Amino acid sequence: MRRILVFTVALLCLPGCAPVAGDTPAAASGSTVSAGPVGGSGQPIPTASAVPNGINSAGAAAIEPLAPAQLSAVEVAGGVLLSWHATGEDLAGYLCLRRLANLPQWTVIGRPAAQDITMLDPRPAAGEYLYAVQAIGVNGRFSQMTQSTPVVIR
């Protein structure tokens, strides 16, 4: 048997704010908002409409961070310098990876801190490489990979 729970939502006005013409609290107008699906324990599974701030901690923990933008990998005197744009989110850090262009396996080469947006891969062996970076959210989830264009080391 499937249970459906319905919550009534009342809009509150903080001191100093005035309602906009035509706005009526949902409780006064008789409108309702569904809490969404019900879990195995009979308790509703919270959704954005059932949580005052739009998302609960369980929902936030399930969201992966944005992928860093525009990964650049450039050969420099000391190796290959990686640089990317910050995501603008609260992060635990980044994960930098490298692979030979003709092989599918990635190798972790570093875990820069959240405030770092560059990393040096010191003196990789000769070959053609692809680099990637992933953001690590404070919830421990990883973003999608942002890959570089191939870099040839001679």
Side-chain angles (χ1 to χ4, degrees):
M1 182 166 104
R2 186 173 189 187
R3 297 182 198 159
I4 298 176
L5 299 177
V6 177
F7 291 95
T8 301
V9 177
L11 301 176
L12 300 175
C13 183
L14 297 175
C17 73
V20 177
D23 280 355
T24 305
S29 68
S31 299
T32 58
V33 177
S34 172
V38 176
S41 66
Q43 296 297 317
I45 298 171
T47 62
S49 63
V51 180
N53 294 328
I55 192 167
N56 61 19
S57 58
I63 297 172
E64 67 185 33
L66 296 171
Q70 300 174 345
L71 175 61
S72 170
V74 178
E75 185 178 12
V76 295
V80 176
L81 180 64
L82 307 178
S83 62
W84 57 91
H85 293 277
T87 66
E89 298 178 284
D90 191 17
L91 298 175
Y94 295 96
L95 185 68
C96 292
L97 305 111
R98 170 186 68 213
R99 74 175 173 93
L100 284 166
N102 62 342
L103 296 177
Q105 300 90 356
W106 289 96
T107 300
V108 174
I109 58 170
R111 287 184 73 123
Q115 67 274 10
D116 296 335
I117 55 171
T118 62
M119 190 192 128
L120 182 66
D121 181 14
R123 298 179 192 83
E128 183 177 3
Y129 294 97
L130 290 172
Y131 287 88
V133 64
Q134 291 178 283
I136 306 169
V138 292
N139 58 8
R141 295 189 51 110
F142 291 78
S143 73
Q144 296 292 318
M145 283 185 177
T146 300
Q147 293 186 40
S148 71
T149 56
V151 176
V152 177
I153 307 297
R154 302 194 192 287

